[in-house]
Amino acid sequence: GGLRTLGQSPSPPTFVHSAKNVTIVEGNEVTLVCSVSNLGDYELAWIHEDSQSILSIGKAMYANTPRVSLNSNSHSAAVTISPVLAEDRGWYMCQLNTDPMTISRSYLQVIVPPTLEEWTGSYVEVREGAAVKLTCRARAYPPAKTKWRRIDSEPIFTLPLQVFEVEGVDLVFPSVGREQSAAYTCNVNNGETSPVVRTTHLKVTYAPILWLERDLIGTKAGLDVTLNCSSEGNPPPKHYWAVNTTINITNNYKYQMDEIPGDSRTEFILTVRNAGPGDFTYYTCHAVNPTGHAEGIIRLYEIRDHIVSVPTRSPFRTTSRAPLPEPREIPKSSDPPFGEAVPPGTSNSSHKTKVDPHRKINVVTNRIPSSSTSLGDRKNNEYYSPPIGHSNSSFIGLLDIIQLGGGGSSQTTYHPKLWRLTGPCLCIYLARTYALAGFG
């Protein structure tokens, strides 16, 4: 029914101002005021409707929390709540004990800024391939939305589609990869207050991966040579070189090791000074981190100059054979026989050719065949055309057939070369097949 009537005044009191709704951010202070005219012996009371609890009647306090205080006088009653909590949200009724009861209502809206209740933390380290869940749970009023993004603006997921933003309290990686090692921000925003932003650094560890610039390197003795390898891993690997797969190398007069860090890879260089016979062997580059180990082998070999030995013995073979017979004469004929050359200005009747019976040398002229004779009909393809700008009479073609004396086999070498004839001097190049003729 209402509060008990304590007294009467000549004219009933009325509310001077209607109650107003109030919005306040949690943690601040709020005062609810109820003013009337002609209060007289009447009393004002404050009631929290949502909890059905009486806060004050007249000048007496009934609230069971020290956060609520009362300030009343002959025409008003003011309730102050400090600090305001989310539980203070709701309808408040200022009641005047008239008959019938007179009331004025006010709604207290309490805005709760996003406050983290559960957060994964600023740093998470996991092994590649493991399942990972990042959580960013906050209490807020109105309810807030949580969105995840990468700080470097790269996509969070790339397959089957690129995903740059994930909405929800949890960010889940069913099987995390090394490419997802990054800093992630969760942004919690309720649209009423400033958002709350937290950053979690996700570190994905994996075993080293090693690359060799070359696995086979050659150098000449006495020179310095560098061997290069590079690696990637998380955490960044430590490196060392070994020679012959077992002996670890240290910096000294023979070896110099240098490490060059990069954005993702680290280059590790070994310099071998003054390479000698003992240095042409196998070198192993090692990369090690707490997750695993990788190695690569480089073979260093010597580059030698190729030396061609030129024989110095006589061009004629010295054997124990019987002396060679004297050269014989070839009968004259109207045309030069096979094996006879006619110098310019000399007739056929006055020229003879000596032939070694153990070494058959056939010399033919470079006569151009007539139009009635094809090159294919000529014996041993013995005709050759002179170079442009020279006459037929100035050149000869040479066919050198070398036959071992007393043997049943022969080797024929064709040399389609041209020689120039100047005056009485005829320059002839004889190409010999040394292997079969036996000349040095």
Side-chain angles (χ1 to χ4, degrees):
L3 298 177
R4 181 175 58 86
T5 301
L6 300 177
Q8 299 293 330
S9 61
S11 59
T14 59
F15 290 100
V16 176
H17 301 290
S18 300
K20 296 181 179 180
N21 296 333
V22 179
T23 299
I24 191 71
V25 176
E26 185 180 43
N28 293 333
E29 178 181 294
V30 65
T31 298
L32 303 176
V33 179
C34 183
S35 300
V36 296
S37 60
N38 302 320
L39 181 57
D41 295 334
Y42 291 92
E43 291 184 330
L44 294 171
W46 278 104
I47 300 172
H48 187 204
E49 293 186 28
D50 291 41
S51 61
Q52 293 293 310
S53 58
I54 299 175
L55 302 180
S56 67
I57 300 177
K59 295 182 179 181
M61 281 291 303
Y62 293 92
N64 56 1
T65 172
R67 296 184 300 109
V68 180
S69 60
L70 175 64
N71 183 13
S72 64
N73 52 38
S74 59
H75 57 82
S76 65
V79 174
T80 300
I81 306 174
S82 179
V84 175
L85 302 180
E87 62 192 49
D88 299 325
R89 183 185 301 110
W91 286 101
Y92 288 80
M93 180 174 62
C94 177
Q95 180 177 314
L96 184 60
N97 60 341
T98 57
D99 188 17
M101 180 179 59
T102 305
I103 62 173
S104 178
R105 302 175 73 216
S106 177
Y107 189 83
L108 177 62
Q109 177 63 276
V110 180
I111 300 298
V112 179
T115 304
L116 289 179
E117 294 181 325
E118 183 181 357
W119 178 42
T120 301
S122 60
Y123 182 82
V124 176
E125 181 176 319
V126 294
R127 187 81 174 263
E128 186 177 33
V132 182
K133 182 174 72 171
L134 306 182
T135 300
C136 192
R137 188 187 309 277
R139 60 181 288 268
Y141 193 89
K145 291 183 178 180
T146 303
K147 295 180 180 180
W148 292 90
R149 295 185 67 92
R150 282 179 62 148
I151 284 184
D152 56 10
S153 300
E154 292 294 321
I156 298 175
F157 302 105
T158 56
L159 295 175
L161 297 174
Q162 286 190 341
V163 178
F164 289 87
E165 184 178 84
V166 174
E167 185 173 330
V169 172
D170 299 319
L171 177 60
V172 179
F173 300 93
S175 178
V176 69
R178 66 190 65 180
E179 68 280 358
Q180 292 163 327
S181 184
Y184 296 84
T185 60
C186 69
N187 185 299
V188 185
N189 190 357
N190 65 356
E192 296 289 341
T193 60
S194 298
V196 171
V197 179
R198 292 291 184 272
T199 300
T200 299
H201 294 267
L202 176 61
K203 180 179 180 180
V204 181
T205 62
Y206 55 93
I209 302 173
L210 190 73
W211 292 269
L212 298 178
E213 185 177 87
R214 289 183 294 169
D215 58 2
L216 185 61
I217 300 176
T219 187
K220 292 184 179 181
L223 300 180
D224 294 351
V225 61
T226 57
L227 285 63
N228 296 65
C229 75
S230 57
S231 72
E232 175 185 342
N234 200 1
K238 295 184 180 299
H239 302 87
Y240 65 93
W241 284 93
V243 61
N244 292 325
T245 70
T246 56
I247 304 173
N248 291 348
I249 293 175
T250 58
N251 287 329
N252 52 38
Y253 72 96
K254 171 60 70 173
Y255 303 113
Q256 174 66 42
M257 293 178 290
D258 297 289
E259 193 171 79
I260 305 175
D263 293 337
S264 59
R265 296 184 184 182
T266 299
E267 186 176 5
F268 196 46
I269 301 174
L270 172 65
T271 301
V272 181
R273 299 190 182 97
N274 191 21
D279 300 319
F280 300 114
T281 182
Y282 294 91
Y283 296 83
T284 306
C285 178
H286 296 266
V288 183
N289 71 5
T291 309
H293 168 259
E295 64 180 38
I297 298 177
I298 299 176
R299 179 184 167 226
L300 181 63
Y301 68 93
E302 181 180 6
I303 298 177
R304 299 182 180 179
D305 292 328
H306 295 284
I307 302 175
V308 179
S309 299
V310 179
T312 59
R313 57 180 176 166
S314 171
F316 300 99
R317 175 164 46 179
T318 303
T319 65
S320 60
R321 295 181 187 177
L324 297 177
E326 291 295 326
R328 58 184 176 85
E329 293 184 355
I330 296 177
K332 295 181 291 181
S333 61
S334 58
D335 293 320
F338 188 79
E340 181 174 354
V342 181
T346 306
S347 65
N348 293 343
S349 61
S350 63
H351 179 71
K352 295 180 181 180
T353 301
K354 303 296 184 179
V355 178
D356 185 342
H358 287 272
R359 185 174 187 274
K360 184 178 180 182
I361 302 175
N362 299 312
V363 180
V364 299
T365 65
N366 66 329
R367 291 174 301 169
I368 303 302
S370 64
S371 59
S372 61
T373 306
S374 65
L375 290 177
D377 297 332
R378 294 294 179 176
K379 183 178 180 180
N380 295 326
N381 292 329
E382 59 195 16
Y383 297 106
Y384 304 92
S385 299
I388 298 174
H390 298 277
S391 64
N392 294 346
S393 62
S394 300
F395 293 87
I396 64 169
L398 179 62
L399 173 66
D400 184 7
I401 303 177
I402 301 173
Q403 180 175 349
L404 290 177
S409 61
S410 64
Q411 172 68 32
T412 302
T413 304
Y414 299 95
H415 296 274
K417 295 183 178 292
L418 300 174
W419 289 265
R420 183 172 183 177
L421 179 62
T422 305
C425 179
L426 175 63
C427 298
I428 302 176
Y429 171 79
L430 301 180
R432 297 173 176 83
T433 307
Y434 296 104
L436 294 179
F439 298 111

